[in-house]
Amino acid sequence: MKILVTVTLLLALVSCNERKTSSNQNVKISTMKGKNFTTTITVDKDVTSTFNSIKNFKGWWSEDIEGSTDQLNDTFFYHYKDVHLCKLKLIQLVADKKLVYQVIANEFNFTKDKTEWVNTKLVFDLTTEGSKTKVVFTHEGLVPEYECYTVCNDAWTSYIQGSLKNFIETGKGKPNGKEGGLNTELVAKWGLPDK
């Protein structure tokens, strides 16, 4: 049985490789297609403190969050002026191991498809590494084909590698302030509307 499964998988891989064209552009697109945004941090904190810090989105993402970010099946609303608005729901919570938030509504004012994030998921996987905690953040469904990918890649990298890491380790993140903050820098960098 194992041999049959292995042969089937190898044939599927070969078949996929044969469908690629010789154009470098097509090869690049086919290798990037479906690749979710992901980034990893290791923090000098225990897993319980790390888990609780992640759930406090006001401490590291935005002070302009309305609703509960730490209760299973509760929804919350994030917005930055009218540049980005979204509603998220905590759909999975495994204490000290995993958090999954689903984007149930989204609106960008800088993309053709204003709803690109709808039905994507913010996934935080935690593991202990000695006295430290490793956090793997994946935005499932945020793929290079999305118009917002470059901006979102930059923003998530900044929030996770900078604001969240600092918030977990020191209690001080760099969330969006009610009138600006971290997103003000990104608005300027990417030339987004600042309304």
Side-chain angles (χ1 to χ4, degrees):
M1 183 67 177
K2 286 183 182 178
I3 294 172
L4 180 60
V5 170
T6 303
V7 169
T8 303
L9 287 172
L10 286 172
L11 288 174
L13 286 172
V14 168
S15 173
C16 287
N17 285 336
E18 288 174 357
R19 288 185 203 142
K20 290 182 184 177
T21 67
S22 61
S23 163
N24 285 341
Q25 183 179 14
N26 289 337
V27 171
K28 184 177 181 184
I29 289 171
S30 67
T31 59
M32 290 177 64
K33 190 167 189 157
K35 185 177 179 183
N36 298 310
F37 172 81
T38 189
T39 188
T40 303
I41 56 174
T42 301
V43 293
D44 195 12
K45 280 289 184 182
D46 64 272
V47 72
T48 300
S49 298
T50 301
F51 185 79
N52 290 331
S53 293
I54 292 168
K55 291 188 297 179
N56 183 357
F57 279 65
K58 285 184 179 184
W60 63 269
W61 192 16
S62 177
E63 294 173 356
D64 248 350
I65 286 180
E66 299 166 21
S68 170
T69 61
D70 63 349
Q71 298 298 312
L72 190 60
N73 297 317
D74 277 3
T75 60
F76 68 95
F77 180 69
Y78 162 87
H79 62 98
Y80 176 71
K81 301 183 181 185
D82 70 347
V83 174
H84 184 199
L85 306 116
C86 69
K87 187 175 184 181
L88 299 102
K89 179 178 184 178
L90 178 55
I91 62 168
Q92 184 180 3
L93 183 151
V94 180
D96 298 344
K97 293 186 187 293
K98 187 171 196 149
L99 291 159
V100 180
Y101 296 84
Q102 183 169 9
V103 180
I104 54 178
N106 189 76
E107 186 171 323
F108 291 124
N109 77 350
F110 60 94
T111 59
K112 288 178 190 162
D113 178 358
K114 310 244 177 260
T115 64
E116 278 188 333
W117 277 18
V118 173
N119 292 321
T120 64
K121 295 175 183 169
L122 312 183
V123 181
F124 298 86
D125 287 300
L126 291 80
T127 54
T128 301
E129 294 189 346
S131 62
K132 297 182 180 193
T133 303
K134 179 179 173 181
V135 178
V136 178
F137 170 75
T138 304
H139 188 155
E140 283 184 8
L142 177 59
V143 292
E145 293 82 8
Y146 274 11
E147 185 180 353
C148 77
Y149 186 82
T150 303
V151 174
C152 293
N153 180 322
D154 191 33
W156 277 134
T157 300
S158 184
Y159 285 119
I160 304 299
Q161 296 286 333
S163 186
L164 178 59
K165 186 175 191 322
N166 289 340
F167 184 63
I168 293 167
E169 292 183 332
T170 69
K172 292 193 102 173
K174 192 176 178 187
N176 302 343
K178 290 196 182 267
E179 295 300 321
L182 188 58
N183 260 355
T184 302
E185 296 166 12
L186 294 173
V187 165
K189 178 178 179 178
W190 293 102
L192 303 174
D194 188 14
K195 298 179 181 178

